[in-house]
Amino acid sequence: MSGTPATARPMAMDKQQPLLFYPAAAAGSGMRRHRYLTFLAIAAALVASYHILHAPTPSSRYHALFLSLGSNATAAAHLRALTLRPHVAGTEANALAAEYVRAALSSFAFPTRVTPYSVLLSYPVHRSLSLSAGPGRPNSAFSLVQETYPGDPYAAAAAEVIPTYFAYSGSGSVAAEVVYANYGDRKDYAYLASRGVDVAGKVALVRYGDIHCEDMVRNARDAGAAAAIVYTDIKDFGGGGAKGKRKWFPNTRWLPPTGVQVGTLYYGNGDPTTPMWPSCAAGEDCERLSMEELDGSGVMPGIPALPVSGRDGETIQKAMGGAVAPPEWQGGEGAPVYRIGPGPAVLNLTYIGNDTLATIENVFAVIEGKEEPDRYVIIGNHRDAWTFGAVDPNSGTAAMLEIAERLSKLEKKGWRPRRTIIVCSWDAEEFALIGSTEWAEENMDMLASRAIAYLNVDISVFGPGGLMPRATPQLDELIKEASRMVPDPDDPSHTLYDSMIHHNPPITRVAGAGTDFAAFVQHIGVPSLDMSYGLFSEYPVYHSLYDDYVWMERFGDPLFHRHVALASVWGLIALRLADDEIIPFNYVSYTSELEECTKVVEAGCPRCPVSFTPLHKSIKQLEKAATKIHGEKKVLQAEKWGLNSRQRTLKVREINDRLMMAERAFTNREGLVGRPWYKHMIYASSDQDDWGTKAFPGIVSAIANAKHLNTTESWRLLQHEIYRGARAVSKASAVLDGRLT
Ligand SMILES: *[C@@H]1O[C@H](CO)[C@@H](O)[C@H](O)[C@H]1NC(C)=O
Ligand SMILES: *[C@@H]1O[C@H](CO)[C@@H](O)[C@H](O)[C@H]1NC(C)=O
Ligand SMILES: *[C@@H]1O[C@H](CO)[C@@H](O)[C@H](O)[C@H]1NC(C)=O
Ligand SMILES: *[C@@H]1O[C@H](CO)[C@@H](O)[C@H](O)[C@H]1NC(C)=O
């Protein structure tokens, strides 16, 4: 399995390659010597191909052993231990969880390290919400409590769960009429405006389902709303069905009527007080923005906002008047008729939060590489949870610790990775990807020169839906190969690959963020992936009280075989990246992906007065370079160059450096317009992505802007963005190609 068969298609450039790259080997060598070398090379190629086909390499034997060591009992035990108590970042319970992870990694005899940062977190101090049928009419207050059920083993611990709130919400009191704005997209506000409904000064009532809560609250603010209430509609999260017939957790996977999805409203990544640079530990000195600077910068929502339950959302809907909302805005069976308002319902919301510096801790274990200790394969998962975190994120933590235990068993059998593997347990992901972002910013140049890949798993198991990877495209082939080696936990006659290819597309991209790969790929340009087993839609208790071990055991993964399968494919990908002599990246798939994305972007801008030719040209260049390095890899593996062992070592390193650094070249120092932290020209989150492309965020934004303004300047800016994208792709091909102009 390791390496590519040497009998594969020979490349036309084979003979020239040693001359181009190893002038020393050619200079001074007479014809006879050359023939001798050729003979040796052919002999070596035959031996190598025999080897690859018939005798597994030592590392592939260890990889097979790794796959055989999976333990569902281990994964289940870690998950149970990690989810006994809720553990929000910055709390004592989460410090205990950090110590649990550190102690587990340490018990596997890996050196461990804890790095603390003092960062701006945000907690609720006071909340109240009441509804009246109109100004001056009596108020009824909402309890804002998620109810436990009879026999809930976590009922006592539920008292420790943080009150439902939005981190970084504005503080204040608002009493105003309600306007219903559907899923809170910009187009929903445009619709309200077209119906003559003014949102200014009102409370916007929106429901989860389409976009992230930070975008929902920002859109409400931008529409002029004085406050926002976000609810989980029973249609989308409660399983629907007629009243009286509905069933929810603990009887089904669905969110109970009082369940509330909490979240964060900070519009950025990392510690808000250190936006482009690393934070520091308490007692150390580092530059920080003041609260005044932060409030003035527009990255905080500024208005008070609160998430509420499906039941409370329905109660508010019942009190609404005005025009009937369009069919797509309506609720499910048995829901009241939704009306857009304004009013006569009046909501009186008071929210007081405390945005305060608190200590977070990243925990690391390092498995030092034997041959290339200065090359890093990084696997990571966050540890902090809004509530118990059985799915989000500790299903991932359990899988990561299960991998670490298997690796310690390999070490006992004599395995040491070729390159260094770093295991990371991040903190404060839920607030704004803070732990991973601060660490990546602090170690930016080390990572930029040494990181092979970052492999993230946030949630390892949602449910039965099969393997769902997203990745930068040079990892596609490796994901496919690794997933073919792991049996499907729900159907052992198939592999993970079989369930994956049923999804369309089977592998998506690391474009939107929402988890810890953002700093690695979007800020630094490290090849990255993120994986889970199952689909988000299988997990309606997301960010609620009910994300606990009972839910996982009943609905997410009753036998913990899905945890083990995910750990197997995640660990195997890490092992291949750490152990394969040539890094198993394939940039050919990158070029077809970019060509596809360019077509989608172009189709979104028909008859636009700009040219996409520079982008197409640069992708052709990348294709040539990708094919070339792929050929070099095959020639090297076939031992056709007749290199001595020192030359070979240097050549391997040279090819690997090009493979590692090509992704870096997609980044641009200035970053995206208005979002300088996002340096990657291909992958970043885009809030203007109406037509489904997952790439070229700068071009996508420029198209939206130009279509809106239709001025000479806006079209010029779009052309500029196209050139910027093209230059990034050209830079990557130059690195892959490995030659100066
Ligand atoms: C809103 O509620 C607060 C207490 O929660 C109360 O003091 C205030 O008078 C109420 N405002 C209105 C306009 O009803
Ligand atoms: C905010 O948090 C800080 C640090 O935990 C605490 O000292 C302070 O009393 C809190 N303020 C409020 C209003 O709760
Ligand atoms: C692990 O798998 C075995 C075999 O399917 C099963 O009997 C056992 O209950 C599982 N353990 C856990 C903790 O789910
Ligand atoms: C831009 O404006 C011109 C007229 O100035 C018009 O012909 C063209 O169709 C407009 N393009 C778009 C994309 O709206």
Side-chain angles (χ1 to χ4, degrees), residues 42 77 108 169 183 226 239 297 306 423 519 636 716:
I42 290 169
F108 308 142
S169 163
Y183 291 113
S297 67
L306 204 64
V423 178
L636 183 90
R716 196 193 62 73

mmCIF file of all heavy atoms in Angstrom, residues 42 77 108 169 183 226 239 297 306 423 519 636 716:
data_model
loop_
_atom_site.group_PDB
_atom_site.id
_atom_site.type_symbol
_atom_site.label_atom_id
_atom_site.label_comp_id
_atom_site.label_asym_id
_atom_site.label_seq_id
_atom_site.Cartn_x
_atom_site.Cartn_y
_atom_site.Cartn_z
ATOM 1 N N ILE A 42 18.197 0.641 -13.238
ATOM 2 C CA ILE A 42 17.154 -0.295 -13.678
ATOM 3 C C ILE A 42 17.037 -1.456 -12.690
ATOM 4 O O ILE A 42 15.952 -1.846 -12.285
ATOM 5 C CB ILE A 42 17.458 -0.817 -15.107
ATOM 6 C CG1 ILE A 42 17.262 0.326 -16.089
ATOM 7 C CG2 ILE A 42 16.561 -2.006 -15.467
ATOM 8 C CD1 ILE A 42 17.770 0.040 -17.484
ATOM 9 N N ALA A 77 -14.820 5.172 27.090
ATOM 10 C CA ALA A 77 -14.389 5.542 28.443
ATOM 11 C C ALA A 77 -13.897 6.993 28.484
ATOM 12 O O ALA A 77 -14.217 7.749 29.403
ATOM 13 C CB ALA A 77 -13.287 4.596 28.918
ATOM 14 N N PHE A 108 0.680 7.713 28.114
ATOM 15 C CA PHE A 108 1.166 6.965 26.943
ATOM 16 C C PHE A 108 2.661 7.210 26.723
ATOM 17 O O PHE A 108 3.207 6.850 25.669
ATOM 18 C CB PHE A 108 0.404 7.361 25.671
ATOM 19 C CG PHE A 108 -1.097 7.291 25.806
ATOM 20 C CD1 PHE A 108 -1.911 8.247 25.211
ATOM 21 C CD2 PHE A 108 -1.693 6.272 26.531
ATOM 22 C CE1 PHE A 108 -3.292 8.182 25.330
ATOM 23 C CE2 PHE A 108 -3.079 6.201 26.657
ATOM 24 C CZ PHE A 108 -3.875 7.160 26.058
ATOM 25 N N SER A 169 -22.457 39.231 23.124
ATOM 26 C CA SER A 169 -23.649 40.034 22.838
ATOM 27 C C SER A 169 -23.475 41.422 23.461
ATOM 28 O O SER A 169 -22.787 41.584 24.474
ATOM 29 C CB SER A 169 -24.868 39.354 23.470
ATOM 30 O OG SER A 169 -25.943 40.262 23.567
ATOM 31 N N TYR A 183 -34.853 33.332 8.356
ATOM 32 C CA TYR A 183 -33.536 32.820 8.756
ATOM 33 C C TYR A 183 -32.485 33.931 8.918
ATOM 34 O O TYR A 183 -31.315 33.640 9.168
ATOM 35 C CB TYR A 183 -33.047 31.779 7.743
ATOM 36 C CG TYR A 183 -33.853 30.497 7.778
ATOM 37 C CD1 TYR A 183 -34.641 30.122 6.702
ATOM 38 C CD2 TYR A 183 -33.835 29.673 8.905
ATOM 39 C CE1 TYR A 183 -35.399 28.943 6.739
ATOM 40 C CE2 TYR A 183 -34.584 28.497 8.950
ATOM 41 C CZ TYR A 183 -35.362 28.136 7.874
ATOM 42 O OH TYR A 183 -36.096 26.980 7.922
ATOM 43 N N ALA A 226 -32.895 46.905 17.066
ATOM 44 C CA ALA A 226 -32.337 47.297 18.359
ATOM 45 C C ALA A 226 -31.904 46.075 19.158
ATOM 46 O O ALA A 226 -31.120 46.194 20.101
ATOM 47 C CB ALA A 226 -33.363 48.101 19.150
ATOM 48 N N GLY A 239 -37.913 17.911 14.874
ATOM 49 C CA GLY A 239 -38.381 16.708 14.182
ATOM 50 C C GLY A 239 -39.745 16.885 13.555
ATOM 51 O O GLY A 239 -40.258 15.973 12.922
ATOM 52 N N SER A 297 -14.866 49.041 16.595
ATOM 53 C CA SER A 297 -14.363 48.450 15.361
ATOM 54 C C SER A 297 -15.408 47.655 14.576
ATOM 55 O O SER A 297 -15.135 47.169 13.487
ATOM 56 C CB SER A 297 -13.166 47.537 15.675
ATOM 57 O OG SER A 297 -13.618 46.432 16.428
ATOM 58 N N LEU A 306 -30.311 37.290 22.166
ATOM 59 C CA LEU A 306 -30.508 36.124 23.026
ATOM 60 C C LEU A 306 -31.044 34.973 22.177
ATOM 61 O O LEU A 306 -31.940 35.166 21.358
ATOM 62 C CB LEU A 306 -31.528 36.486 24.117
ATOM 63 C CG LEU A 306 -31.492 35.694 25.420
ATOM 64 C CD1 LEU A 306 -30.185 35.898 26.173
ATOM 65 C CD2 LEU A 306 -32.673 36.120 26.301
ATOM 66 N N VAL A 423 0.157 16.340 18.718
ATOM 67 C CA VAL A 423 -1.257 16.141 19.070
ATOM 68 C C VAL A 423 -1.699 17.372 19.861
ATOM 69 O O VAL A 423 -1.069 17.718 20.867
ATOM 70 C CB VAL A 423 -1.416 14.865 19.928
ATOM 71 C CG1 VAL A 423 -2.865 14.675 20.349
ATOM 72 C CG2 VAL A 423 -0.900 13.637 19.169
ATOM 73 N N ALA A 519 -6.975 28.960 11.164
ATOM 74 C CA ALA A 519 -5.687 29.654 11.250
ATOM 75 C C ALA A 519 -4.636 28.937 10.402
ATOM 76 O O ALA A 519 -3.796 29.573 9.762
ATOM 77 C CB ALA A 519 -5.220 29.733 12.704
ATOM 78 N N LEU A 636 11.923 8.784 -8.761
ATOM 79 C CA LEU A 636 12.717 8.603 -7.548
ATOM 80 C C LEU A 636 12.378 7.273 -6.877
ATOM 81 O O LEU A 636 13.267 6.517 -6.472
ATOM 82 C CB LEU A 636 12.456 9.755 -6.573
ATOM 83 C CG LEU A 636 13.302 9.662 -5.313
ATOM 84 C CD1 LEU A 636 14.618 10.380 -5.501
ATOM 85 C CD2 LEU A 636 12.571 10.219 -4.106
ATOM 86 N N ARG A 716 -12.956 47.299 -12.425
ATOM 87 C CA ARG A 716 -11.496 47.273 -12.377
ATOM 88 C C ARG A 716 -11.025 46.491 -11.144
ATOM 89 O O ARG A 716 -10.096 45.693 -11.212
ATOM 90 C CB ARG A 716 -10.955 48.704 -12.329
ATOM 91 C CG ARG A 716 -9.453 48.815 -12.656
ATOM 92 C CD ARG A 716 -8.879 50.175 -12.289
ATOM 93 N NE ARG A 716 -8.967 50.469 -10.857
ATOM 94 C CZ ARG A 716 -8.222 49.909 -9.916
ATOM 95 N NH1 ARG A 716 -7.304 49.017 -10.233
ATOM 96 N NH2 ARG A 716 -8.383 50.232 -8.634
#
